[in-house]
Structure formats: C-alpha cells, structure tokens
Amino acid sequence: MNSGYESYKIDDFLNDEFFIEWVKYQTPVSEKFWNEWMEGKPGNLATMQEARLQLLVILSSKPYEFGLERKERIWNQIDTLTRPSKVRWFRYDWTIAAAAVVIIVFSVLFWNHNNNNNKPALQNISRIDKDVITPGKNQAVLTLADGRRVLLDSATIGNIANQGGVNVLKENGSLAYLTEGITDVSSVINKISTPRGGQYKVVLADGSKVWLNAESELTFPSAFIGNDRRVELKGEGYFEVAHNVQKPFYVKVNGMEVKVLGTEFNINSYPDESGIKTTLVNGSVRIHAGDQTTVITPGQQAILKKGSEDILVKDVDVESQVSWKNGKFIFQDIDIYSVMRQLTRWYNIDVVYGQGLPNEQFVGVISRNVSISEVLSMLESTEAVSFRIQGRRVYVEPFKK
C-alpha cells in the first residue's frame, strides 16, 4: 500500500495495484482506505478521480472490443482529452452498500471524428434530419447602452463600438473592453446574451474574464468607477476575476450575491435547475442570500435551493462542474433528465420524455464538438434509453431491444 499518493499523476494511479483493486472490486480494506484518503482532501484529488474514470472504462470493456494492442494505445493516449474524439460506452454494475446501482461508464477515445468508416452505428435513432442538429458555437448578442444590438457572430473583427469612452473590441470568439491609455471615461451599462447553442467570452474593463455558457446573460458596466465592481448574471458563467483588494467584485444572481477579491469560480443559475450552484476553483468567495452568509474554499460548491435561504456547502469534483468551459460534458452520477438539460442548451433542441424511463445514473466524458446524432447514438449503446429525432425535437424513451 503506497503512502505517496498525494504526488501521483494519472499514469501512476493507473499502474498502482492497490488502486486498481479498489476500482475493480471495492474490497472493505480498499474502500476504507480510499474513502479516508479522499476525506483528507489531497491536492491531486481531481487527478485520482480522472484516473478512476479512465480505469473503469478499460476494466469494463470486453476482450474482443479492447485487444491488448488497442488497450496499450489507450493507456498512452487517454489522458489527452482535447483531441477530436469518438466515444465508446460500456455498462458497469457497481454495488454500493445494499443497493445495486447501474453506472453507465464511457470515455473519450481518440480518433478523427470526420472519418466516416469509424463512426458508431445509429441503432434506433431516426436518420431524418440527424445532421441538421450541430453543436453550439461562439455566438451572442451585445446590447449597448443606447439600446443598439450587435450580433457578435457576424460582426467584423476589430473595434465595434465606443461605450463611455471605452473601446469595445471583437476578437475571435471574445469581446474586450479596453481602457488602456484612456483617462476620461464614464460608466454605461452593457449586456451580452448567448442563445441556446451559443457561448461567448468577455474581457471586462478591469481585465476580469467571463465565459458565458448557452442561454446566459451578463449585465455589466463599460468601466468600473467607484469603490466596487458589480455585474449581474443569468444562466451560467465562469469567472476569472482580476485581483484588486481595494475594489471587491460582486456578482448578483437571482437574489443571491457572490463577493470576491480575485479568484476563479463558476455559477450555474439556470431556472430549470434545482438551485444556484457556485463552484470555487481557486481563491475565496463569500456567498450571501437573505440573512445567510457563507465562505467557500477551492473544491467546494455552495448550493442555494429554490425557495430557500439556506446555503448548502459540499465538496465536488471541480472539473466536472466547469467542463463546459473546456469543451467537454463531464457527467458525474446524474440521471437522464440532467443529461438532456445540458444537451438541450448546447444543441438547441426540445426534449419529450416517454413513460417508464430507467432511474439510472450516468458517468463519463463527451466532447461538446460532436453532432447530436453521435451523442444520442452513444447513449443508446448503454441499452438504457433510446431516441427518436423529428426536426429539432428529441424523444427519449426506454431502450427496446
């Protein structure tokens, strides 16, 4: 049993016999050890969780699907999650305490997804309009102080406006408010909105960066004048706040307020979710709602449930909470409804649910750059659910063999 796991990289975990024993068999000894190790909040906890996910995929594969040569290629490549990808899905039965929980395990394997000879079969998915539904892209609408609206995906790269003396520059997939060399500025309010199937990055006048997910909106001043910096968010945004101890940064979200000095965090406040989730990547933030105030540390998530002022704080896998910003879906023990809500926003689809859908949890990683038909085909391969596509409407039904 190795006591130096805190310094382990992914490959170290994947070659450790005691770690493999835990992932594969969950013996009482290994369960006790690894649960205590995780509760100690080691610095490389996210690395261990990624190694565990990758190992589950390899261990769950059938011999004829994963020959030795291919398995060795995966071991050499699987930690590079940014390449074009094809997803293979495997079913894995996992017993926790007395309850049998079926986990659908999948991972990104590496290929050129434009190679038609290697595409997975489409099983029950209707081939009608299957290629019409493509992944989201960089698109947003900028509303200026005078009410003018600028479609950013079609606007020319370069200086597109001047707001309160601040130059507004469109770059490739991002918008920047530039105050360098400008002394006489005033503050006017701008708003940037992303539709379903859109995302965008904004660099605010103080240098803070905000990534907006699909169906989101950020309201902000063209320049931060005064003793603080305040913005308002709807939907989901990832913030990388420029440090300024003299001028704290506030994010207003549906009656809740987040205060930071300089840090990275994600806020998910979609109205169709159960509450507002603030996940801290690094630094420190204070969450204020009603009479409740709490401070979270890196690796923690504060949850404000709808209709409540109580703030729940828990440890989370940060990478899965912010994966959208990095071009991935990472699902951690979520049901089909949670999966489809994410797909709805990114692929701009409408979902109709059938009766008798299984209460199963999904775990895995998918690139956000593949088409909807590829994603649904991969989901069908679990033999948990099946789909029909009509235009932009997706019907979700129990799997029928």
Side-chain angles (χ1 to χ4, degrees), residues 3-114:
S3 61
Y5 288 116
E6 287 77 9
S7 62
Y8 262 30
K9 305 299 184 186
I10 288 179
D11 285 344
D12 298 322
F13 282 111
L14 293 177
N15 286 285
D16 187 276
E17 292 182 1
F18 186 60
F19 179 77
I20 294 172
E21 176 194 18
W22 172 60
V23 176
K24 189 173 183 179
Y25 300 114
Q26 293 93 50
T27 65
V29 173
S30 64
E31 278 286 274
K32 183 176 184 296
F33 174 87
W34 287 105
N35 286 337
E36 291 177 352
W37 187 83
M38 287 187 287
E39 289 172 0
K41 300 179 182 178
N44 64 340
L45 178 58
T47 302
M48 183 276 279
Q49 292 171 329
E50 177 65 19
R52 175 174 167 270
L53 180 62
Q54 295 177 10
L55 189 56
L56 279 171
V57 173
I58 295 175
L59 293 175
S60 301
S61 61
K62 297 177 182 178
Y64 67 85
E65 290 177 322
F66 267 93
L68 178 61
E69 180 181 350
R70 188 172 185 183
K71 187 175 288 190
E72 287 177 348
R73 288 205 308 270
I74 294 168
W75 280 73
N76 292 331
Q77 294 179 293
I78 200 167
D79 58 325
T80 314
L81 294 176
T82 57
R83 302 182 188 178
S85 59
K86 171 184 177 181
V87 180
R88 293 288 303 224
W89 302 66
F90 307 98
R91 200 176 190 86
Y92 185 78
D93 293 321
W94 195 5
T95 303
I96 301 178
V101 181
V102 179
I103 307 293
I104 309 304
V105 181
F106 54 95
S107 183
V108 175
L109 305 183
F110 303 97
W111 78 316
N112 184 335
H113 69 270
N114 292 318

Side-chain angles (χ1 to χ4, degrees), residues 102-163:
V102 179
I103 307 293
I104 309 304
V105 181
F106 54 95
S107 183
V108 175
L109 305 183
F110 303 97
W111 78 316
N112 184 335
H113 69 270
N114 292 318
N115 185 341
N116 292 326
N117 294 328
N118 292 326
K119 286 186 178 179
L122 281 180
Q123 296 189 28
N124 296 332
I125 298 175
S126 168
R127 293 179 179 272
I128 300 175
D129 294 334
K130 69 181 178 64
D131 293 321
V132 172
I133 306 175
T134 56
K137 60 182 180 179
N138 291 323
Q139 57 179 334
V141 176
L142 173 66
T143 303
L144 301 174
D146 60 3
R148 284 183 296 145
R149 292 158 57 90
V150 180
L151 298 177
L152 294 177
D153 52 321
S154 59
T156 304
I157 290 179
N159 194 44
I160 61 174
N162 185 286
Q163 294 291 278

Side-chain angles (χ1 to χ4, degrees), residues 163-167 178-179 182-187 222-225:
Q163 294 291 278
V166 178
N167 292 321
L178 305 179
T179 59
I182 302 174
T183 56
D184 185 18
V185 299
S186 59
S187 182
S222 59
F224 293 105
I225 298 174

